[in-house]
Amino acid sequence: MPADFDTIVNLAKNRGFVFQSSEIYGGLRSAYDYGPLGVSLLRNVKEQWWRSMVQLRDDIVGIDSAVIQSPRVWEASGHLSSFTDPLVECTNCNSRHRVDKLEKPNQCPTCGMKDTFTEPKDFNLMFQTHMGPVSTAENAVYLRPETAQGIFINFENVRRTARMKLPFGIAQIGKSFRNEITPGQVVFRTREFEQMEMEFFCRPEDSAEWLEYWLEERRNWYMDLGMSADNLRMRAHEDDELAHYASSTYDVDYNFPWGWDELEGIANRGDFDLAAHGTHSGKDLTYFDPETNERFYPHVIEPAAGATRTTFAFLLDAYSEEEVGGEKRTVLKLDKRLAPNKVAVLPLSKKPDLVESTQAVAGPLRERWDIEVDVTQSIGKRYRRQDEIGTPYCVTVDFDTLEDQQVTVRDRDTMAQDRIPIEGLVRYLDERLAP
Ligand code: ATP
């Protein structure tokens, strides 16, 4: 890591990537709000996922299912009975911990006392609420703890209406909620978060091959967007780690400042989900193959990533410090597709005719990209600020511009400057910013 964790977290807070939620009321633990730059970065990560999963492919379509679904969904999926984490409480300081995440099994990480834990209790992670005006057990409902089940319950709707044939996938991005026992590390583990999940349905005998395929695809996605290969690893789950539904699972791990931790799980879920919903709902969720005249439950490969967690990892990975002319330069070397603002347009001074000309230059750029016009402070300070938030190009409008109709374009990474006629600016940037 080029800088310590706190430096990057401070940058994220001070530049408006993330804010503590409900800050003016003292903050709500483990909840975060995304500021102007954070929302853009998060949106760009989600857009890149959607582009690679849905837009560029014939065999995957998208959906957006409800957060609150019939409680029977969670009964069938096993979440009501087994979506639990083992919880212990320290009898000395009353802090609560997840047994499987303890560094030392008999020592409290909060107060340091040994052998003070209660017996582990299973704690269900789903948030419960009630639908309608009365709060009774009969109208209890749950906020979805994953987006996946919304896909399985729509399997037949999607297959029929989008006329999909095996193998095919259904993708979804959306909020999920888990009442985590030990949230932490900023947005890494929160109780409300966003997921990017895709269920890929295939013939049972092809599932092992598709699992290999998706491991490769997903690793490439992170690397194509600039994540360093040294900070990524694929880790196979041990037998005792496998979820009740999975026959084989890999984690895509990132080398976080506190060690390797999960960005995404890629699981072979077999026919667990379709068979469970078929049985519980009484609806036929099998697939009929017109070529072989067979009817069967497809098997499923699931790449399940966290949008918020991945956004955080891209931010950490992009952070760099360099020395330029004896001074420290902080640069977020975000891939151009992920950078919150693509271009900053900067008049050399606040003189009205320069500002007016800057707005004229910014107009057509605004039509195509997220840009910022910044008129305050010295040009050096403005360059540094744009480097710190990862803006790939700064366009400077100076006094010569008024005469020669040319602007200076500065590249974030090389700091090289090109003098470009205003009329060719969109094409120049387009060549460099196109996806
Ligand atoms: P963990 O072991 O970290 O709790 P998990 O294995 O339970 O995660 P999955 O159910 O596989 O996670 O969810 C898929 C992805 O959703 C995870 O890889 C992660 O990126 C994201 N995710 C899960 N829980 C959270 C959370 N509480 N906060 C942020 N992202 C999360």
Side-chain angles (χ1 to χ4, degrees), residues 289-322:
D289 189 332
E291 275 159 35
T292 59
N293 274 333
E294 288 169 290
R295 196 168 260 294
F296 57 92
Y297 282 119
H299 280 208
V300 174
I301 305 300
E302 174 195 73
T308 37
R309 194 179 277 188
T310 298
T311 297
F312 185 45
F314 275 118
L315 193 65
L316 291 171
D317 208 69
Y319 185 91
S320 74
E321 287 176 2
E322 321 172 329

Side-chain angles (χ1 to χ4, degrees), residues 65-125:
S65 71
V67 166
I68 298 178
Q69 299 161 13
S70 162
R72 295 186 59 205
V73 171
W74 310 113
E75 203 180 292
S77 67
H79 282 83
L80 269 176
S81 57
S82 54
F83 192 58
T84 54
D85 277 337
L87 171 74
V88 286
E89 193 168 331
C90 170
T91 50
N92 180 52
C93 70
N94 296 330
S95 62
R96 296 193 180 98
H97 305 278
R98 243 173 94 169
V99 178
D100 56 331
K101 297 277 176 193
L102 284 173
E103 239 167 66
K104 297 188 183 137
N106 62 346
Q107 185 174 15
C108 174
T110 307
C111 69
M113 293 284 277
K114 284 189 177 159
D115 302 320
T116 50
F117 288 141
T118 55
E119 281 298 304
K121 261 199 247 139
D122 279 339
F123 172 75
N124 195 297
L125 298 179

Side-chain angles (χ1 to χ4, degrees), residues 413-433:
D413 298 333
T414 62
M415 291 185 288
Q417 305 199 352
D418 276 345
R419 194 81 185 157
I420 304 289
I422 294 172
E423 58 172 18
L425 184 61
V426 167
R427 186 156 38 84
Y428 176 94
L429 291 170
D430 210 23
E431 279 165 8
R432 287 157 179 79
L433 289 168

Side-chain angles (χ1 to χ4, degrees), residues 141-180:
V141 288
Y142 303 90
L143 305 188
R144 68 178 174 200
E146 60 174 35
T147 61
Q149 297 306 321
I151 294 177
F152 294 123
I153 59 176
N154 280 297
F155 169 76
E156 185 52 20
N157 284 338
V158 174
R159 187 206 60 76
R160 183 171 48 80
T161 54
R163 296 169 298 136
M164 303 305 282
K165 293 205 168 53
L166 287 189
F168 73 91
I170 306 177
Q172 165 155 237
I173 297 178
K175 290 240 175 174
S176 294
F177 303 82
R178 297 182 188 178
N179 202 357
E180 299 277 3

Side-chain angles (χ1 to χ4, degrees), residues 178 180 188-190 193 195 262-264 304 306 309:
R178 297 182 188 178
E180 299 277 3
F188 176 80
R189 187 184 306 286
T190 47
F193 55 97
Q195 291 188 304
E262 175 182 335
L263 285 182
E264 167 164 357
R309 194 179 277 188

